[in-house]
Amino acid sequence: MRPGSVAIVGAAETTELGRIPDQSQLQLHADAALNTLADAGLTPADVDGVATAGESPTGVAHYLGITPTWVDGTAVGGCSFMLHVRHAAAAINEGFCKTVLITHGESGRSRIGRGGFSRPAASLQGQFEAPFGTMGAPSTFTIPVLRYMKKYGVTEEQLAMVAVVQREWAARNPRASYRDPIDVDDVLSSDMIAYPFRKLMCCLVTDGGGALILTSAERARDFPQRPVYVIGTGESVETPMVSQMEDFTTSRAFRVSGRAAFEEAGIAHGDVDHLMIYDAFAHLPLYGLEDLGFVGRGEAADFVEERNTAEGGKLPLNTNGGGLSYMHSGMYGMYALQESVRQLRGTAPAQVKDARISIAHGVGGMFAASGTIVLSNEAR
Amino acid sequence: MAESRRPLPRPTPETQHFWDGTRERELRLQRCDACSQVYFPPRPFCPACASRKVSVFAASGRGTLYSYVINHRAPPGSGFEPPYSIAVVELDEGPRMMTNIVGVPQTPEALQLDMPVEAVYEDFTDQITLPFFRPLEAS
């Protein structure tokens, strides 16, 4: 992608977040899409590209009355939307379409109109992981962390600090699910879910959605909102089986995706004003900070404990409260992108002063996939 | 036979040798005839060099505890009684595999990373035997 050649000109979440028992998953996509079209001053007839995960792009396009000339149904988990942004930028540059709508909607909590997860018994996960009692993300995504903690001497208290700092950010966000302050003792005395993970180290399970509209940088100036330019992108996958990660202390997909995004954007780490790292669990920001190169190996826990990612710190991280405190529908990557856009528009509830460059880094599956998007509010 | 409510594997042609092996109390891995890479999970080609010339061999069944969680939440009828460990063992031959550590209290104190473990086998059906691991000292 040519850095800065494409911009986000529409961004919005569903009207409600949290518990939405009166809407199906498909309608959550539509609610987010309609709010985003309004944000951009468009109607469905103006859209000629559709990308989504969780539902099929066919279903979303038909439901909204869109006739696309380009679709992308890449579904690699919660970071799919980062990949959609990357693919959409390429498609717009290539002339496949002019105006792309990316939607997310997920009835994660109420489970209305939502298919279940199934792992066929003949799949590799079905044969070599499920028989040993992996029961979704809390008991699977968490498996690598003891190795990481042993290698770098990271304590449970430090893991808890990730959740504490993010709750501080959430306290400033009226739409966050959890806003009451917590301390390390609160985290370490919350229910044990899958040792060493306590409940407050695990993400929420909520309903909601979000959508984005992308177009070329040339057209972006004619839209009502301040354009947010896509200046760097990356993606990768490693393995669908957490047990087969090549190194339990670092994600190869994170490293490959992050490196590509930094190189494309041509920026240094010191240029980044604001960062979102998909936090399904408290260890993910630690892996992300290291694998993206913001800190050295084994330094992330100290970095968080020393409040570098908190308000007033040098690298504000997960400023919406994150999956741990803001919301987590299941595929949270869309909300990380939304917060990056808000920060660069200057409309975030916990606004980082003069933020010019933001990175939204996502994970898909259990360290299975990754997508990284570098955004800027300055045209190139 | 043990309880069989837990999700059991359905072997494919590419993995049948592994499940035949566990039934016979053997942990069968594959080695590339071209580059000597030992790998898991099974597939009829080498993930390191893509050679289709690979051989099945019986591994030692020994390894060390690489990482784990102790799951405290499992719904009734799932076939699992919490708390139970979901572990990854690093085999002496190199590959890692998921398993449960058995024959030891399911506590952080009893489950020390890098402790030596060995495979034990439990029949669930006539066809399916799962490989678990226990501390080597307990043998």
Side-chain angles (χ1 to χ4, degrees):
Chain A
M1 187 207 62
R2 210 153 32 84
S5 60
V6 167
I8 295 170
V9 295
E13 296 173 349
T14 43
T15 309
E16 305 292 330
L17 287 180
R19 198 183 285 267
I20 315 173
D22 59 347
Q23 288 182 43
S24 69
Q25 181 158 296
L26 182 58
Q27 180 55 32
L28 293 172
H29 280 254
D31 184 51
L34 293 172
N35 287 343
T36 302
L37 287 162
D39 180 66
L42 297 177
T43 72
D46 299 313
V47 174
D48 59 1
V50 172
T52 194
E55 296 284 331
S56 78
T58 317
V60 168
H62 174 257
Y63 196 60
L64 287 165
I66 294 168
T67 304
T69 59
W70 174 87
V71 295
D72 182 10
T74 301
V76 291
C79 65
S80 297
F81 314 103
M82 281 79 174
L83 276 68
H84 295 156
V85 168
R86 187 175 207 230
H87 301 173
I92 290 166
N93 277 332
E94 186 64 19
F96 292 161
C97 51
K98 289 189 169 66
T99 309
V100 172
L101 173 68
I102 303 172
T103 69
H104 160 69
E106 196 161 5
S107 187
R109 177 161 206 95
S110 303
R111 311 189 78 79
I112 310 295
R114 169 195 165 102
F117 288 111
S118 67
R119 275 176 310 200
S123 69
L124 289 177
Q125 297 100 307
Q127 290 187 66
F128 299 110
E129 291 194 337
F132 305 105
T134 53
M135 295 192 180
S139 57
T140 311
F141 212 157
T142 48
I143 288 172
V145 84
L146 284 182
R147 175 53 54 184
Y148 174 85
M149 292 168 76
K150 177 168 181 174
K151 181 170 182 179
Y152 295 120
V154 172
T155 64
E156 290 178 46
E157 286 75 13
Q158 287 181 304
L159 201 55
M161 265 308 282
V162 175
V164 170
V165 171
Q166 289 195 198
R167 183 62 63 85
E168 293 174 10
W169 284 115
R172 299 177 55 190
N173 189 338
R175 270 164 70 89
S177 293
Y178 289 152
R179 301 182 61 203
D180 296 336
I182 52 173
D183 60 21
V184 167
D185 287 342
D186 292 328
V187 178
L188 294 182
S189 59
S190 62
D191 289 347
M192 187 66 87
I193 302 296
Y195 170 83
F197 283 84
R198 303 276 180 170
K199 185 172 184 182
L200 292 179
M201 300 171 180
C202 301
C203 64
L204 302 158
V205 182
T206 51
D207 305 324
L212 297 169
I213 293 174
L214 279 73
T215 194
S216 67
E218 294 79 53
R219 291 183 69 216
R221 297 182 193 92
D222 301 331
F223 284 81
Q225 303 291 347
R226 180 178 188 178
V228 172
Y229 299 93
V230 181
I231 64 168
T233 62
E235 67 187 281
S236 191
V237 295
E238 182 175 349
T239 168
M241 306 170 75
V242 73
S243 62
Q244 300 305 313
M245 284 177 80
E246 66 183 9
D247 183 340
F248 278 27
T249 69
T250 167
S251 162
R252 190 180 81 199
F254 279 18
R255 297 194 311 272
V256 172
S257 177
R259 193 183 312 123
F262 268 90
E263 284 177 4
E264 189 172 61
I267 58 166
H269 291 85
D271 297 328
V272 179
D273 302 306
H274 170 254
L275 178 62
M276 298 297 293
I277 297 175
Y278 190 134
D279 58 321
F281 297 92
H283 58 318
L284 287 169
L286 304 182
Y287 282 62
L289 284 165
E290 294 177 16
D291 288 336
L292 292 173
F294 284 99
V295 298
R297 291 270 155 238
E299 295 175 2
D302 289 343
F303 188 76
V304 171
E305 194 170 29
E306 290 159 7
R307 302 190 59 79
N308 290 295
T309 62
E311 186 183 357
K314 63 180 167 191
L315 187 59
L317 170 71
N318 292 345
T319 50
N320 59 355
L324 298 180
S325 287
Y326 178 61
M327 85 86 68
H328 191 290
S329 56
M331 293 193 292
Y332 167 84
M334 175 57 79
Y335 307 95
L337 287 161
Q338 294 285 336
E339 175 68 5
S340 286
V341 171
R342 284 191 294 264
Q343 288 288 349
L344 295 177
R345 286 179 172 183
T347 60
Q351 181 64 42
V352 174
K353 196 165 176 294
D354 299 328
R356 289 176 304 163
I357 292 181
S358 173
I359 293 182
H361 177 74
V363 66
M366 327 286 176
F367 286 119
S370 186
T372 313
I373 301 297
V374 187
L375 299 169
S376 170
N377 52 20
E378 294 177 339
R380 292 261 162 140
Chain B
M1 296 281 166
E3 42 79 19
S4 59
R5 285 170 302 168
R6 70 167 72 201
L8 293 178
R10 185 180 305 137
T12 62
E14 297 79 21
T15 65
Q16 188 64 54
H17 67 267
F18 181 87
W19 298 113
D20 289 345
T22 55
R23 213 167 50 228
E24 293 166 33
R25 272 67 187 151
E26 264 185 22
L27 203 62
R28 292 181 184 165
L29 299 178
Q30 286 168 300
R31 181 186 288 117
C32 177
D33 296 341
C35 78
S36 302
Q37 174 84 11
V38 177
Y39 63 89
F40 176 88
R43 73 208 82 169
F45 59 90
C46 172
C49 77
S51 169
R52 291 176 188 262
K53 291 191 169 33
V54 298
S55 303
V56 173
F57 71 100
S60 65
R62 294 188 174 182
T64 55
L65 179 55
Y66 186 66
S67 202
Y68 68 90
V69 294
I70 302 170
N71 192 22
H72 285 250
R73 310 250 282 206
S78 64
F80 295 91
E81 208 147 302
Y84 64 94
S85 60
I86 309 170
V88 173
V89 163
E90 185 164 280
L91 301 171
D92 284 356
E93 291 80 5
R96 299 188 195 117
M97 62 183 293
M98 192 174 279
T99 188
N100 302 125
I101 306 298
V102 298
V104 64
Q106 302 292 289
T107 62
E109 295 71 31
L111 297 168
Q112 294 290 328
L113 292 198
D114 301 312
M115 70 182 190
V117 293
E118 64 179 352
V120 291
Y121 301 90
E122 192 166 332
D123 299 324
F124 282 82
T125 68
D126 289 342
Q127 300 301 316
I128 294 299
T129 298
L130 293 180
F132 300 133
F133 284 77
R134 66 181 176 196
L136 191 56
E137 287 80 6
S139 58

